[in-house]
Amino acid sequence: MQIAINFKNDEIAKKVLWILEHFQKDGVEIIEIENTETEILNNFQEGLREVKLIKNQQLKSRAVEEFLNEL
């Protein structure tokens, strides 16, 4: 199972991370992701540009998985 949590308060984030770190030996993996809304929007817009280029046969299509991973 994966859970994504967005913390707006750094102090709360530190406390939650401190608790989760105690479960690492039990298999909990902590991954910090810092995607801003702007980055996500830019990646989505780039994907749309690629779709338009493929539609106009200006770009060769690629595996859907690869495309979705970038979004």
Side-chain angles (χ1 to χ4, degrees), residues 7-43:
F7 293 101
K8 300 199 186 285
N9 181 313
D10 286 341
E11 290 303 312
I12 299 295
K14 288 177 187 176
K15 290 177 183 178
V16 171
L17 286 173
W18 180 84
I19 291 169
L20 291 174
E21 285 171 353
H22 289 82
F23 293 99
Q24 284 182 316
K25 64 183 175 196
D26 296 319
V28 172
E29 181 181 10
I30 301 168
I31 302 170
E32 185 175 340
I33 302 171
E34 294 201 26
N35 283 337
T36 64
E37 289 179 17
T38 303
E39 285 179 272
I40 294 169
L41 182 59
N42 287 342
N43 288 342

